[in-house]
Amino acid sequence: MIELVNIRKSFEGKEVLKGISTSLEPGKTNLIIGASGSGKSVMMKCMVGLLRPEEGSIYYDNRDFLGLDDKEVREIRREIGMLFQGTALFDSNTVQENIEFPLKMFTNMTAKERLDRVNFCLEQVHMQGINKRYPAEISGGMKKRVGIARAIAMDIKYLFCDEPNSGLDPVTSRVIDELLLEITQEFKITTIINTHDMKTVFDIGDKIIFIYEGQKWWEGNRADVKIANNKELKAFIDASQF
Amino acid sequence: MLLFYHFGKYLLFLKGMFTKPEKFRVYWERTLHEMSNIGIGSLAIVAIIAIFQGAVTTLQIAYQLISPLVANPVIGSIVSDSSILELAPTITCLVLAGKVGSHIASEIGTMRVTEQIDALEIMGINSAGFVALPKIIAGIVMVPMLIIISIFLSNVGGIIAGQASGILTPDEFIQGARDTFRTFNLIFSLIKAFTYAFIITSVSCYYGYYTEGGALEVGTSSTRAVVYSAVLILFSDYLLSQLLL
Ligand SMILES: Nc1ncnc2c1ncn2[C@@H]1O[C@H](COP(=O)(O)OP(=O)(O)O)[C@@H](O)[C@H]1O
Ligand SMILES: [Mg+2]
């Protein structure tokens, strides 16, 4: 479980996060939703320590994340996987080398063991047999899946996904959603997903956190979302329907 | 003010690089890869520059010293010494600042703007050390070797030009070069090479690493890396000459 307590973050005097507190639960898909520019990515980056909030605390299973030194932060990060908006695959490395990379860095696995693990991860995302391809040679949807495979290569406890569906067609988006749900449930990880895709919310959202003007405006589960009596949330949902 | 800001940030960047490598083997492999990139990859340009620079210096010295009072071997000794002391290390490294520096800055800059650096951080890797350290080490190992090759080839260039133009014979050139050769000059040249290599690689890594924005900014970082490396090379050239000569 990850807990946020009163997180504030501003850029050059402009307050982007105005004191957000919430908790993100293990074995569940925790969705952070909101309009573009509402601060979802900033919130996620604060959680993983790529940005430092001016105020507030973050607890990873009761470990005070912001109170740790660089070395301890790196320890926690080995339990974290992240799927970036642009996938952030290493473009000079093959798919296999990408997924293998954290294993090479942090484990003493033999080449054979690593290969098995890579193939296992590729199987999890239904992408067997593309080991030797380079990121530039595969489609956007495939890159996202390889990104997920890389994120789960180590035994992670927390999975962060920044707009996993951005730039994907609706069909591929659903495939990615399903994958994330499967992985979350199978490995009992705490999954956090930034999205403005309402279909994702209705399909796989266990816990939903709606960010509006830098604040947590609404929080609940996917059943509540449809009947929520909250003007801004309704407007956001209505705007996504067609 | 901005100068001090960047200098301080640069020092912190260097300091942040030095943590225990997560896996020595991976760093070692990357260093070898960079050595081949920087060393083998720059061999041709270094050779071309050296030969022409030696040849031109020979012709120019002969032209300037035209007098029956000057013995021919003197030309050889001037060409050889100035190659060792200044021309080989400095000219070569100014060109390497352009070639190697821009490559490093744009490679790391691209990694930054495509979030690959963030991805390294998230995995729990010291990203500054991971991307920069192998390049800096490769640079300070390979550039001095390139300079030695460059010194050798500029003498070859001088000999060829002297012979081709009938100014002096190869024997006279070599005799002159030998007469005034001092081991200290070679050491001085290598000290320069180390210093320049460190400047080029670390400054370029710094500008690449702190790129913000997109493709356009990667270009800006790359330009900055080259310009600042070149200026710092010239500045340290002066400083080293003042201190050590
Ligand atoms: N590094 C930064 N420097 C300055 N402003 C930033 C930075 N990152 C994000 N912002 C600002 O924070 C706000 C929220 O951005 P972001 O979290 O990316 O939104 P989104 O919800 O679309 O992910 C935006 O107004 C953006 O301009
Ligand atoms: Mg975003």
Side-chain angles (χ1 to χ4, degrees):
Chain A
M1 174 142 99
I2 306 173
E3 289 169 274
L4 308 189
V5 185
N6 193 28
I7 296 295
R8 287 176 185 274
K9 175 73 193 171
S10 45
F11 293 103
E12 287 130 26
K14 183 173 149 273
E15 203 165 34
V16 175
L17 301 180
K18 301 172 182 165
I20 293 189
S21 305
T22 187
S23 64
L24 307 157
E25 289 153 31
K28 292 197 174 167
T29 49
N30 301 271
L31 268 50
I32 302 170
I33 64 171
S36 281
S38 57
K40 302 184 296 294
S41 295
V42 170
M43 183 169 160
M44 190 168 268
K45 284 184 177 162
C46 285
M47 280 192 252
V48 296
L50 290 173
L51 290 173
R52 194 166 180 90
E54 284 95 39
E55 233 180 85
S57 315
I58 298 168
Y59 298 94
Y60 278 80
D61 293 308
N62 298 322
R63 291 170 293 180
D64 179 8
F65 189 63
L66 299 176
L68 305 175
D69 66 26
D70 283 1
K71 193 163 164 284
E72 292 163 323
V73 165
R74 287 184 189 129
E75 298 287 321
I76 291 199
R77 285 203 177 139
R78 282 165 211 173
E79 302 170 2
I80 294 179
M82 185 157 178
L83 175 63
F84 288 86
Q85 199 162 345
T87 71
L89 294 176
F90 304 124
D91 36 37
S92 51
N93 296 103
T94 61
V95 165
Q96 170 161 337
E97 286 162 346
N98 263 283
I99 304 173
E100 203 176 32
F101 180 75
L103 304 173
K104 257 190 166 169
M105 286 303 268
F106 298 116
T107 71
N108 293 316
M109 289 168 124
T110 64
K112 172 78 176 69
E113 287 167 335
R114 288 200 302 265
L115 180 61
D116 288 345
R117 181 71 193 172
V118 168
N119 288 335
F120 171 79
C121 293
L122 281 174
E123 224 168 274
Q124 292 296 313
V125 297
H126 314 307
M127 281 281 107
Q128 300 93 312
I130 59 164
N131 301 45
K132 297 282 169 241
R133 305 256 211 112
Y134 281 89
E137 299 168 356
I138 59 179
S139 73
M142 289 162 91
K143 277 191 219 174
K144 294 270 183 183
R145 296 202 227 182
V146 173
I148 297 173
R150 182 176 69 179
I152 60 169
M154 300 282 282
D155 284 316
I156 55 164
K157 287 192 192 158
Y158 319 97
L159 177 62
F160 291 84
C161 306
D162 195 356
E163 312 250 3
N165 295 339
S166 72
L168 298 184
D169 61 87
V171 178
T172 313
S173 296
R174 301 291 74 83
V175 174
I176 299 285
D177 285 349
E178 279 309 312
L179 274 177
L180 292 172
L181 186 64
E182 273 172 39
I183 288 166
T184 304
Q185 291 173 346
E186 186 170 345
F187 302 108
K188 299 267 174 302
I189 47 188
T190 310
T191 300
I192 301 99
I193 302 172
N194 272 354
T195 186
H196 51 232
D197 184 341
M198 283 317 288
K199 191 91 175 73
T200 306
V201 175
F202 296 135
D203 283 355
I204 65 162
D206 288 328
K207 172 161 185 171
I208 291 138
I209 300 157
F210 175 55
I211 305 290
Y212 182 76
E213 304 216 315
Q215 284 166 307
K216 183 178 79 177
W217 211 254
W218 186 89
E219 172 175 75
N221 60 33
R222 106 187 102 195
D224 296 341
V225 121
K226 291 183 190 166
I227 51 165
N229 189 18
N230 180 305
K231 191 163 135 265
E232 286 76 19
L233 178 59
K234 269 190 182 147
F236 180 71
I237 296 172
D238 289 344
S240 331
Q241 313 286 353
F242 36 86
Chain B
M1 272 329 279
L2 205 61
L3 186 70
F4 289 111
Y5 169 77
H6 275 294
F7 187 63
K9 200 165 152 195
Y10 168 75
L11 290 183
L12 287 176
F13 171 71
L14 292 180
K15 180 170 160 276
M17 264 170 18
F18 294 100
T19 50
K20 190 170 161 289
E22 291 81 10
K23 213 24 164 271
F24 187 76
R25 232 190 99 93
V26 179
Y27 276 72
W28 174 239
E29 280 170 9
R30 283 180 66 84
T31 307
L32 289 182
H33 177 75
E34 295 298 339
M35 280 164 121
S36 135
N37 260 355
I38 296 174
I40 316 286
S42 309
L43 207 51
I45 184 82
V46 168
I48 292 170
I49 295 167
I51 291 174
F52 279 96
Q53 169 245 307
V56 171
T57 323
T58 305
L59 299 183
Q60 196 182 321
I61 302 287
Y63 166 75
Q64 286 175 299
L65 286 186
I66 197 145
S67 142
L69 295 176
V70 178
N72 277 346
V74 171
I75 296 172
S77 85
I78 295 179
V79 171
S80 178
D81 281 353
S82 46
S83 288
I84 295 174
L85 282 174
E86 172 71 6
L87 296 174
T90 309
I91 305 282
T92 307
C93 285
L94 284 174
V95 173
L96 289 182
K99 183 181 179 295
V100 176
S102 66
H103 183 262
I104 290 180
S106 53
E107 182 186 334
I108 299 182
T110 304
M111 288 185 78
R112 166 62 78 191
V113 302
T114 56
E115 297 180 309
Q116 292 176 51
I117 301 232
D118 289 342
L120 287 169
E121 279 294 326
I122 292 298
M123 290 176 190
I125 292 163
N126 177 358
S127 62
F130 186 80
V131 298
L133 211 49
K135 292 188 189 333
I136 295 177
I137 292 174
I140 58 184
V141 173
M142 296 314 280
V143 171
M145 294 193 193
L146 289 172
I147 299 308
I148 291 177
I149 293 170
S150 166
I151 290 171
F152 174 75
L153 289 178
S154 51
N155 280 295
V156 171
I159 291 170
I160 294 171
Q163 168 88 333
S165 59
I167 295 169
L168 77 172
T169 65
D171 284 340
E172 287 172 322
F173 190 102
I174 292 168
Q175 186 205 330
R178 279 198 178 145
D179 280 349
T180 51
F181 177 80
R182 288 171 60 206
T183 314
F184 172 78
N185 289 355
L186 199 59
I187 293 173
F188 180 64
S189 183
L190 291 181
I191 292 176
K192 279 186 172 184
F194 276 114
T195 314
Y196 299 163
F198 182 76
I199 290 173
I200 295 170
T201 49
S202 63
V203 168
S204 306
C205 286
Y206 170 79
Y207 279 104
Y209 191 80
Y210 288 108
T211 305
E212 261 177 41
L216 199 62
E217 284 78 9
V218 173
T220 313
S221 293
S222 167
T223 311
R224 285 211 179 117
V226 175
V227 171
Y228 286 100
S229 302
V231 171
L232 284 171
I233 284 175
L234 294 171
F235 182 71
S236 63
D237 188 18
Y238 175 73
L239 211 66
L240 286 173
S241 306
Q242 180 79 48
L243 286 174
L244 296 175
L245 286 188

